[in-house]
PDB file of all heavy atoms in Angstrom:
ATOM      1  N   LEU W1382     -34.831-178.599  23.205  1.00 92.00           N
ATOM      2  CA  LEU W1382     -35.010-179.533  24.317  1.00 92.00           C
ATOM      3  C   LEU W1382     -35.768-178.874  25.468  1.00 92.00           C
ATOM      4  O   LEU W1382     -35.519-177.713  25.813  1.00 92.00           O
ATOM      5  CB  LEU W1382     -33.652-180.033  24.823  1.00 92.00           C
ATOM      6  CG  LEU W1382     -32.947-181.091  23.975  1.00 92.00           C
ATOM      7  CD1 LEU W1382     -31.521-181.293  24.463  1.00 92.00           C
ATOM      8  CD2 LEU W1382     -33.703-182.413  24.019  1.00 92.00           C
ATOM      9  N   ASP W1383     -36.675-179.634  26.073  1.00 93.00           N
ATOM     10  CA  ASP W1383     -37.449-179.155  27.218  1.00 93.00           C
ATOM     11  C   ASP W1383     -36.655-179.417  28.497  1.00 93.00           C
ATOM     12  O   ASP W1383     -36.470-180.573  28.890  1.00 93.00           O
ATOM     13  CB  ASP W1383     -38.792-179.898  27.279  1.00 93.00           C
ATOM     14  CG  ASP W1383     -39.719-179.342  28.351  1.00 93.00           C
ATOM     15  OD1 ASP W1383     -39.217-178.842  29.375  1.00 93.00           O
ATOM     16  OD2 ASP W1383     -40.946-179.431  28.184  1.00 93.00           O
ATOM     17  N   PRO W1384     -36.161-178.383  29.192  1.00 93.00           N
ATOM     18  CA  PRO W1384     -35.314-178.587  30.380  1.00 93.00           C
ATOM     19  C   PRO W1384     -36.046-179.252  31.542  1.00 93.00           C
ATOM     20  O   PRO W1384     -35.433-179.980  32.325  1.00 93.00           O
ATOM     21  CB  PRO W1384     -34.857-177.170  30.743  1.00 93.00           C
ATOM     22  CG  PRO W1384     -35.869-176.262  30.121  1.00 93.00           C
ATOM     23  CD  PRO W1384     -36.330-176.944  28.884  1.00 93.00           C
ATOM     24  N   VAL W1385     -37.344-179.012  31.665  1.00 95.00           N
ATOM     25  CA  VAL W1385     -38.107-179.631  32.754  1.00 95.00           C
ATOM     26  C   VAL W1385     -38.148-181.147  32.578  1.00 95.00           C
ATOM     27  O   VAL W1385     -37.910-181.921  33.524  1.00 95.00           O
ATOM     28  CB  VAL W1385     -39.531-179.055  32.823  1.00 95.00           C
ATOM     29  CG1 VAL W1385     -40.352-179.783  33.886  1.00 95.00           C
ATOM     30  CG2 VAL W1385     -39.488-177.563  33.127  1.00 95.00           C
ATOM     31  N   LEU W1386     -38.441-181.589  31.362  1.00 95.00           N
ATOM     32  CA  LEU W1386     -38.477-183.027  31.095  1.00 95.00           C
ATOM     33  C   LEU W1386     -37.095-183.652  31.262  1.00 95.00           C
ATOM     34  O   LEU W1386     -36.975-184.803  31.715  1.00 95.00           O
ATOM     35  CB  LEU W1386     -39.005-183.290  29.687  1.00 95.00           C
ATOM     36  CG  LEU W1386     -40.511-183.084  29.485  1.00 95.00           C
ATOM     37  CD1 LEU W1386     -40.892-183.302  28.021  1.00 95.00           C
ATOM     38  CD2 LEU W1386     -41.301-184.039  30.381  1.00 95.00           C
ATOM     39  N   LEU W1387     -36.050-182.908  30.921  1.00 95.00           N
ATOM     40  CA  LEU W1387     -34.695-183.422  31.112  1.00 95.00           C
ATOM     41  C   LEU W1387     -34.384-183.613  32.595  1.00 95.00           C
ATOM     42  O   LEU W1387     -33.747-184.602  32.988  1.00 95.00           O
ATOM     43  CB  LEU W1387     -33.674-182.482  30.481  1.00 95.00           C
ATOM     44  CG  LEU W1387     -33.629-182.421  28.963  1.00 95.00           C
ATOM     45  CD1 LEU W1387     -32.516-181.489  28.499  1.00 95.00           C
ATOM     46  CD2 LEU W1387     -33.425-183.813  28.374  1.00 95.00           C
ATOM     47  N   ALA W1388     -34.844-182.688  33.428  1.00 95.00           N
ATOM     48  CA  ALA W1388     -34.626-182.814  34.868  1.00 95.00           C
ATOM     49  C   ALA W1388     -35.364-184.037  35.417  1.00 95.00           C
ATOM     50  O   ALA W1388     -34.824-184.780  36.252  1.00 95.00           O
ATOM     51  CB  ALA W1388     -35.089-181.544  35.582  1.00 95.00           C
ATOM     52  N   VAL W1389     -36.586-184.254  34.950  1.00 96.00           N
ATOM     53  CA  VAL W1389     -37.348-185.430  35.389  1.00 96.00           C
ATOM     54  C   VAL W1389     -36.663-186.710  34.896  1.00 96.00           C
ATOM     55  O   VAL W1389     -36.626-187.725  35.600  1.00 96.00           O
ATOM     56  CB  VAL W1389     -38.795-185.354  34.886  1.00 96.00           C
ATOM     57  CG1 VAL W1389     -39.578-186.594  35.317  1.00 96.00           C
ATOM     58  CG2 VAL W1389     -39.480-184.098  35.410  1.00 96.00           C
ATOM     59  N   ALA W1390     -36.120-186.671  33.682  1.00 96.00           N
ATOM     60  CA  ALA W1390     -35.408-187.827  33.138  1.00 96.00           C
ATOM     61  C   ALA W1390     -34.195-188.169  33.995  1.00 96.00           C
ATOM     62  O   ALA W1390     -33.914-189.350  34.248  1.00 96.00           O
ATOM     63  CB  ALA W1390     -34.975-187.547  31.697  1.00 96.00           C
ATOM     64  N   PHE W1391     -33.486-187.145  34.440  1.00 96.00           N
ATOM     65  CA  PHE W1391     -32.335-187.397  35.308  1.00 96.00           C
ATOM     66  C   PHE W1391     -32.791-188.011  36.634  1.00 96.00           C
ATOM     67  O   PHE W1391     -32.122-188.901  37.179  1.00 96.00           O
ATOM     68  CB  PHE W1391     -31.571-186.101  35.566  1.00 96.00           C
ATOM     69  CG  PHE W1391     -30.331-186.294  36.401  1.00 96.00           C
ATOM     70  CD1 PHE W1391     -29.265-187.015  35.903  1.00 96.00           C
ATOM     71  CD2 PHE W1391     -30.241-185.750  37.677  1.00 96.00           C
ATOM     72  CE1 PHE W1391     -28.115-187.198  36.672  1.00 96.00           C
ATOM     73  CE2 PHE W1391     -29.111-185.929  38.441  1.00 96.00           C
ATOM     74  CZ  PHE W1391     -28.041-186.653  37.940  1.00 96.00           C
TER      75      PHE W1391
END
Side-chain angles (χ1 to χ4, degrees):
L1382 283 170
D1383 187 330
V1385 176
L1386 286 177
L1387 290 183
V1389 179
F1391 183 66

